[in-house]
Amino acid sequence: MAQKPSIPKGTRDFSPEEVAKRNYIFSTIKSSFENFGFQPIETPSFENSSTLMGKYGDEGDRLIFKILNSGDYLSKADEKLLVDKNSLKLTSQISEKALRYDLTVPFARYVVQHQNEITFPFKRYQIQPVWRADRPQKGRFREFYQCDADVVGSKSLVQEIEFIQLYDDVFTKLKLEGTTIKMNNRKILSGIAEIIGASDKLIDFTVALDKLDKIGADGVTKEMLSKGITEEAIEKVQPLFNFTGSNLEKLGQLKEMLATSDQGLDGVNELQTVVENISELGLKSASLDIDVTLARGLNYYTGAIFEVSAPKGVKMGSIGGGGRYDDLTGIFGLKDVSGVGISFGLDRIYLVLEELNLFNAVELPKPKVVFLNYDENSSLLALKALKKLRENNIKSELYPDLGKSNKQQQKQWKYVVNREIDYAVIKIENEIYTLKNIKTGEQSECNLNELLNTLK
Amino acid sequence: MAQKPSIPKGTRDFSPEEVAKRNYIFSTIKSSFENFGFQPIETPSFENSSTLMGKYGDEGDRLIFKILNSGDYLSKADEKLLVDKNSLKLTSQISEKALRYDLTVPFARYVVQHQNEITFPFKRYQIQPVWRADRPQKGRFREFYQCDADVVGSKSLVQEIEFIQLYDDVFTKLKLEGTTIKMNNRKILSGIAEIIGASDKLIDFTVALDKLDKIGADGVTKEMLSKGITEEAIEKVQPLFNFTGSNLEKLGQLKEMLATSDQGLDGVNELQTVVENISELGLKSASLDIDVTLARGLNYYTGAIFEVSAPKGVKMGSIGGGGRYDDLTGIFGLKDVSGVGISFGLDRIYLVLEELNLFNAVELPKPKVVFLNYDENSSLLALKALKKLRENNIKSELYPDLGKSNKQQQKQWKYVVNREIDYAVIKIENEIYTLKNIKTGEQSECNLNELLNTLK
């Protein structure tokens, strides 16, 4: 019954080395999350379909993996739908559960369901896989991890300030220097919409403006006009065509430009508070950059919008993002709970660290020493030594099979070399261990305590 | 569009405290796994259905969660099956993927798929959730974690010896003293089958024998007779009716009893090697107990069989188990690769630790100190102090919202008390911090360095 084994497209196996590197990123993020006062929660991999469906738009609904009901799932299905082969309408009759699509909606569900056990403001983090039936491509998978930190139950800008520090803290710990934390505010975008006279043109506007570097002011103007933005409107937002200088200078320009928009000015003031605090506090390796073209999740965010870019020279989409949303839990019936959160893009961060050779500090999951097994009588002695080493947290093992023949002994050496293990104990006699440093070839004879001290 | 939120039956949300306790168990197991030379791998949550189906028996197949194909999944379905509402046969036409049911089959698939990248013997561990559409009940869930360590590519008994040490190491670290590691060998069971003259009665035999404590020798004999085991056969295995003494004494009795069975003697000799080595090496808190009634996974295991019981006085099924299987990867076309592995039952271990109050060493995910926020001017000073504390890995936070009114200030206190936080900074003036120890009520004024030293 031999089958050629494979895995579903868009999914991955992770080798020991990959798991170690991924865990290095996860544990770095976790330690920063916890230092900043965030608490971990976990939610089930699948939710009731009613919890997820309708929360991500039609396209999102389509990309949610549905789980077939157990047992005789067709017994209660509508016969007409079956005969008509109406996949779309049949789904809800034969599937009641679905794999989570992100961590945000399950978090909102969690907050509402457990509201009486939670002390607000609730700072939670969650690092779990999510699933999307997306077309797989480079860097896009059907199963991938999200690493989210959110605060619900506070409107204070302290959170925005801390999230910038948090990004800086994580990327500095990962030695990923030179990231840019781009920040915008939904209210500034609303202000711009007011100024250009049409909120439905806002996305066209930001998309065009974002091309300034590539196609110049003339090209951008041309594109805006083609999208139906009037010359007069473009005139009003001229400062954005030469939007340079420090963050405070940019805010100064925005303040003038948005002078007639209360909401716009609100946004500018919020950003100003954040920028001033961050400039007092200092960042370790990241820089903060006001970017009015930043409009991710436009319909979702209501205040701050964040996005992080990798260091210059690394070609990679955003490696993190987030923002403030004023009514996250409303969909589940709990009104007026403001939330703000950020997310780290694990897979992209992994690729960036790989490209910049920043994984060299990661301890790979391999033993520090292997006891070769050439001699029938010494395996018990090896096990005794291993007990002591392991009690001192030294990863160590005995090659299990006795190597009597030359060929068998070669196999043991190959094991040590292939796995790039640092040390081998090649002989035990009268409680004296012959330790070989594989890299240098150096050999030394030592007792158990000396062995322990060398390997520590 | 308010919905009353809930989660699917058999699944769980984990609160921050529960996550912390579970992670304590996971990281204890992981550190032992790695000290013993095991390497982590991860496999996708869902596999191709063909990888999983047919590997767990009919009942298992039924309990596998199937994932509905994306898009117009009915378009290619057989019309007759739809009209007949033939759920059973339709499944393979509308579902190509399924959630993994355990970690063993995906591991076998991994080994075969990656055989050219793997250096054998391959010691891998894997800690990931699995899913089963089982009827939920106390301690049985539809989503739960398995923690497995296996070695493939070696027949050496060193592994069996090390797995016993590994169980002992983990449970000792968890301070769960007094566990019993029960051990048997499939070959001894085969020997007994030979002796009693019928291998098809072996399960009836072990089930009856297992009741010795409860119903006595007469009761057991009666049950065996009723199952068709002859009086003559029962006579031959009389030693098992008074199967006491040390492990070596038990092995002595088995040796006599199984003198005519080569396979049986093989099993006894294997056990003897393990028992002798363990008795030389010593266990820290567990004891090893030969138990010939142990027959878990009878059709699966070919050598050693393990099962771990919680300390006496704790009512709980087995908290771990495993054994040797000679042809794990054969189902995927790679022959003659022997494997041996053990598993830790996370959920049951959790319940046992909870019952015995053994979680008190777990650091809960809460800040060590909260800066109260009563004063508009001091929030920046608080953020500066927090930066320093966090750089020293002190979990800390600023209450985000300014407490101007009495009511708002009360809310901050309530936050500190509800979350059982140890310290609060209640005032900052001229870079002097007033620190309150919440338990003792003691207050002290200190500078930033003193604050850091107190909280370290």
Side-chain angles (χ1 to χ4, degrees):
Chain A
M1 200 186 55
Q3 306 171 347
K4 188 170 170 277
S6 66
I7 51 177
K9 64 176 176 181
T11 68
R12 293 165 288 172
D13 282 330
F14 295 108
S15 71
E17 192 175 316
E18 288 165 331
V19 172
K21 290 175 178 175
R22 287 164 62 88
N23 282 346
Y24 161 70
I25 302 175
F26 286 137
S27 66
T28 303
I29 294 173
K30 263 175 78 169
S31 100
S32 292
F33 281 173
E34 297 200 348
N35 284 344
F36 277 72
F38 289 87
Q39 311 172 69
I41 68 160
E42 291 182 10
T43 63
S45 297
F46 48 73
E47 297 270 350
N48 292 321
S49 298
S50 57
T51 299
L52 303 184
M53 299 296 285
K55 309 301 189 297
Y56 308 101
D58 287 348
E59 173 67 0
D61 280 358
R62 227 176 41 74
L63 299 183
I64 291 173
F65 278 112
K66 285 97 183 169
I67 295 172
L68 199 55
N69 290 345
S70 303
D72 187 7
Y73 55 89
L74 287 177
S75 65
K76 286 177 189 160
D78 190 311
E79 267 143 61
K80 189 161 180 326
L81 294 180
L82 289 171
V83 172
D84 293 351
K85 289 194 165 188
N86 190 331
S87 299
L88 198 64
K89 287 197 175 156
L90 185 68
T91 303
S92 64
Q93 298 190 2
I94 63 173
S95 160
E96 285 163 4
K97 294 181 288 289
L99 290 175
R100 75 177 154 240
Y101 178 87
D102 72 359
L103 301 178
T104 308
V105 168
F107 172 51
R109 193 265 311 143
Y110 180 98
V111 169
V112 177
Q113 192 174 330
H114 300 278
Q115 54 186 291
N116 298 323
E117 305 144 38
I118 293 172
T119 304
F120 292 94
F122 183 43
K123 299 173 79 169
R124 91 83 171 79
Y125 77 84
Q126 195 169 353
I127 300 180
Q128 290 193 283
V130 302
W131 296 269
R132 295 182 186 181
D134 235 329
R135 192 180 301 273
Q137 48 178 260
K138 190 175 181 281
R140 191 201 279 166
F141 303 98
R142 292 189 151 188
E143 172 175 53
F144 58 98
Y145 268 75
Q146 292 194 332
C147 314
D148 286 12
D150 292 78
V151 187
V152 290
S154 164
K155 292 186 175 173
S156 163
L157 289 174
V158 163
Q159 312 300 1
E160 275 82 342
I161 296 165
E162 291 207 312
F163 276 128
I164 292 167
Q165 289 185 294
L166 181 52
Y167 269 136
D168 180 49
D169 196 50
V170 168
F171 291 123
T172 302
K173 278 189 199 156
L174 292 173
K175 298 187 182 57
L176 186 60
E177 303 192 343
T179 57
T180 303
I181 303 164
K182 296 183 284 184
M183 192 179 179
N184 195 7
N185 193 299
R186 178 66 172 95
K187 294 170 189 167
I188 289 177
L189 290 173
S190 300
I192 293 174
E194 250 183 273
I195 298 287
I196 64 171
S199 58
D200 64 331
K201 302 234 163 58
L202 187 55
I203 288 189
D204 290 335
F205 177 86
T206 54
V207 167
L209 190 60
D210 198 29
K211 296 179 186 162
L212 194 60
D213 275 359
K214 285 183 201 148
I215 59 176
D218 286 353
V220 171
T221 306
K222 214 166 141 190
E223 181 168 327
M224 287 182 175
L225 289 169
S226 80
K227 297 286 182 183
I229 299 169
T230 65
E231 248 176 275
E232 202 192 348
I234 296 171
E235 186 55 41
K236 283 187 189 155
V237 294
Q238 268 305 315
L240 298 179
F241 283 74
N242 187 23
F243 198 58
T244 53
S246 70
N247 285 327
L248 286 177
E249 285 163 354
K250 285 182 183 173
L251 290 170
Q253 292 176 60
L254 284 174
K255 220 176 265 182
E256 271 180 48
M257 195 187 86
L258 298 171
T260 58
S261 161
D262 284 350
Q263 228 191 343
L265 288 179
D266 251 18
V268 176
N269 287 333
E270 286 186 10
L271 272 190
Q272 182 140 356
T273 302
V274 172
V275 164
E276 282 171 358
N277 273 277
I278 288 297
S279 120
E280 279 289 330
L281 291 163
L283 294 178
K284 287 177 272 191
S285 74
S287 48
L288 177 63
D289 186 34
I290 303 288
D291 180 352
V292 291
T293 67
L294 189 62
R296 53 184 286 145
L298 191 60
N299 300 315
Y300 188 69
Y301 294 125
T302 52
I305 305 173
F306 298 110
E307 193 170 278
V308 185
S309 337
K312 282 193 184 71
V314 181
K315 268 183 196 150
M316 186 62 66
S318 66
I319 55 174
R324 182 175 285 276
Y325 35 86
D326 268 347
D327 192 25
L328 176 69
T329 55
I331 42 171
F332 298 113
L334 184 64
K335 298 283 177 201
D336 295 323
V337 178
S338 185
V340 56
I342 61 171
S343 188
F344 287 82
L346 186 268
D347 289 303
R348 287 183 175 174
I349 293 171
Y350 186 100
L351 291 172
V352 172
L353 296 187
E354 195 80 281
E355 183 173 336
L356 298 178
N357 242 321
L358 292 174
F359 277 128
N360 33 27
V362 178
E363 199 189 337
L364 295 181
K366 62 182 179 188
K368 181 94 179 167
V369 62
V370 170
F371 286 64
L372 299 185
N373 195 347
Y374 290 172
D375 167 8
E376 214 138 32
N377 301 313
S378 61
S379 92
L380 180 61
L381 290 171
L383 287 171
K384 282 186 176 171
L386 283 172
K387 189 177 171 191
K388 181 103 176 175
L389 296 180
R390 290 165 179 169
E391 277 167 8
N392 286 277
N393 285 317
I394 295 166
K395 297 172 187 167
S396 46
E397 60 182 46
L398 166 64
Y399 191 91
D401 298 289
L402 185 64
K404 283 180 183 165
S405 67
N406 245 336
K407 199 182 154 196
Q408 286 169 333
Q409 295 187 2
Q410 283 301 326
K411 206 179 156 200
Q412 298 193 21
W413 269 115
K414 232 174 126 179
Y415 181 84
V416 171
V417 171
N418 278 355
R419 297 203 52 204
E420 300 176 31
I421 289 163
D422 291 345
Y423 291 94
V425 171
I426 59 175
K427 196 171 140 193
I428 311 179
E429 212 169 71
N430 300 324
E431 310 207 0
I432 295 297
Y433 303 82
T434 306
L435 181 69
K436 184 171 183 129
N437 180 323
I438 306 296
K439 250 183 246 162
T440 64
E442 209 180 325
Q443 275 182 216
S444 58
E445 301 198 332
C446 51
N447 66 26
L448 186 51
N449 272 332
E450 290 160 350
L451 184 70
L452 183 62
N453 287 329
T454 308
L455 296 171
K456 246 182 189 167
Chain B
M1 201 187 49
Q3 307 170 345
K4 187 169 171 278
S6 67
I7 52 178
K9 66 176 175 181
T11 68
R12 295 164 287 173
D13 282 329
F14 295 107
S15 70
E17 193 176 314
E18 288 165 332
V19 172
K21 290 176 179 175
R22 286 164 62 88
N23 282 346
Y24 162 69
I25 302 175
F26 287 136
S27 65
T28 303
I29 294 174
K30 263 174 79 167
S31 99
S32 293
F33 281 173
E34 299 200 346
N35 284 344
F36 277 72
F38 289 89
Q39 312 171 66
I41 68 160
E42 290 183 9
T43 62
S45 297
F46 48 74
E47 296 270 351
N48 292 322
S49 298
S50 57
T51 299
L52 303 183
M53 298 297 282
K55 309 300 188 297
Y56 307 100
D58 287 348
E59 173 67 1
D61 280 359
R62 227 177 41 74
L63 299 183
I64 291 173
F65 279 112
K66 285 98 185 168
I67 295 173
L68 199 55
N69 290 345
S70 301
D72 188 6
Y73 55 89
L74 287 177
S75 64
K76 287 178 191 160
D78 190 310
E79 265 143 64
K80 186 159 183 325
L81 295 180
L82 289 171
V83 173
D84 292 352
K85 290 195 163 184
N86 189 331
S87 299
L88 198 63
K89 288 196 174 159
L90 185 68
T91 303
S92 64
Q93 299 191 2
I94 63 173
S95 160
E96 286 163 4
K97 294 181 288 289
L99 290 175
R100 74 176 156 242
Y101 178 85
D102 71 359
L103 302 179
T104 307
V105 169
F107 172 52
R109 194 264 312 142
Y110 180 98
V111 169
V112 178
Q113 192 174 330
H114 301 278
Q115 53 186 292
N116 297 323
E117 305 145 38
I118 293 173
T119 304
F120 292 94
F122 184 42
K123 300 174 76 169
R124 90 85 170 79
Y125 76 85
Q126 195 170 352
I127 300 180
Q128 291 194 281
V130 302
W131 295 268
R132 296 184 185 179
D134 234 329
R135 192 179 301 276
Q137 48 178 258
K138 188 173 181 284
R140 191 200 283 165
F141 304 98
R142 293 188 150 190
E143 173 176 50
F144 58 98
Y145 268 76
Q146 291 194 334
C147 314
D148 285 13
D150 291 79
V151 187
V152 290
S154 164
K155 291 188 175 174
S156 163
L157 288 174
V158 163
Q159 313 300 0
E160 276 81 343
I161 297 165
E162 290 207 314
F163 277 129
I164 292 167
Q165 289 185 294
L166 181 52
Y167 269 136
D168 179 49
D169 196 50
V170 168
F171 291 124
T172 302
K173 278 190 199 154
L174 291 173
K175 297 186 183 58
L176 186 59
E177 303 192 342
T179 56
T180 303
I181 303 165
K182 294 184 286 185
M183 191 177 180
N184 196 7
N185 192 298
R186 177 65 171 96
K187 295 169 189 167
I188 290 178
L189 290 173
S190 300
I192 292 175
E194 251 182 273
I195 298 286
I196 63 172
S199 58
D200 63 330
K201 302 239 162 61
L202 187 55
I203 289 189
D204 290 335
F205 178 85
T206 54
V207 166
L209 190 60
D210 198 28
K211 296 179 185 162
L212 195 61
D213 275 359
K214 284 183 200 146
I215 60 176
D218 286 353
V220 172
T221 307
K222 214 166 140 188
E223 182 169 326
M224 287 182 176
L225 289 170
S226 80
K227 298 284 181 185
I229 299 169
T230 65
E231 245 175 278
E232 203 192 345
I234 296 170
E235 187 54 38
K236 283 188 188 155
V237 294
Q238 269 305 315
L240 298 179
F241 284 74
N242 188 25
F243 199 58
T244 52
S246 70
N247 287 326
L248 287 178
E249 286 164 353
K250 285 182 184 173
L251 289 170
Q253 293 178 59
L254 285 175
K255 222 175 266 183
E256 272 181 50
M257 195 185 87
L258 297 171
T260 59
S261 162
D262 285 350
Q263 228 191 344
L265 288 179
D266 250 20
V268 175
N269 287 332
E270 286 188 9
L271 273 188
Q272 182 141 353
T273 302
V274 173
V275 164
E276 282 172 357
N277 273 277
I278 288 296
S279 120
E280 279 290 328
L281 292 163
L283 294 178
K284 289 178 270 191
S285 74
S287 47
L288 176 64
D289 187 32
I290 301 288
D291 180 351
V292 289
T293 66
L294 190 61
R296 53 184 288 145
L298 190 59
N299 299 315
Y300 187 70
Y301 294 123
T302 52
I305 306 173
F306 298 109
E307 193 170 279
V308 186
S309 341
K312 284 197 180 69
V314 181
K315 269 184 197 150
M316 185 63 66
S318 68
I319 56 175
R324 182 174 286 275
Y325 34 86
D326 268 346
D327 191 27
L328 176 68
T329 56
I331 41 172
F332 298 113
L334 184 65
K335 298 284 176 200
D336 295 322
V337 179
S338 186
V340 54
I342 61 170
S343 186
F344 287 82
L346 187 268
D347 289 303
R348 286 184 175 173
I349 293 171
Y350 187 101
L351 291 172
V352 172
L353 296 187
E354 194 81 281
E355 182 173 336
L356 298 178
N357 242 321
L358 292 173
F359 277 127
N360 31 29
V362 179
E363 197 188 340
L364 295 180
K366 62 182 180 188
K368 181 93 179 169
V369 61
V370 169
F371 286 65
L372 299 185
N373 194 347
Y374 291 173
D375 167 7
E376 216 138 31
N377 301 314
S378 61
S379 93
L380 180 60
L381 291 171
L383 287 172
K384 282 185 176 171
L386 283 172
K387 191 179 170 190
K388 181 105 180 171
L389 295 179
R390 288 164 180 169
E391 278 167 7
N392 286 278
N393 285 318
I394 295 165
K395 298 173 186 167
S396 47
E397 61 182 47
L398 166 64
Y399 192 92
D401 299 289
L402 185 64
K404 283 179 181 162
S405 67
N406 247 335
K407 198 181 153 196
Q408 286 168 333
Q409 296 186 1
Q410 283 301 325
K411 206 180 154 197
Q412 299 193 19
W413 269 114
K414 232 174 124 177
Y415 180 84
V416 171
V417 172
N418 278 355
R419 297 204 52 206
E420 299 177 32
I421 289 162
D422 291 345
Y423 291 94
V425 170
I426 59 175
K427 198 171 139 193
I428 311 180
E429 214 170 70
N430 301 324
E431 310 206 1
I432 294 297
Y433 304 82
T434 306
L435 181 69
K436 185 169 181 131
N437 180 322
I438 305 298
K439 248 183 246 161
T440 65
E442 208 180 325
Q443 276 182 215
S444 58
E445 302 197 334
C446 51
N447 65 26
L448 185 50
N449 273 331
E450 291 162 348
L451 184 69
L452 184 62
N453 288 329
T454 308
L455 295 172
K456 246 180 190 167

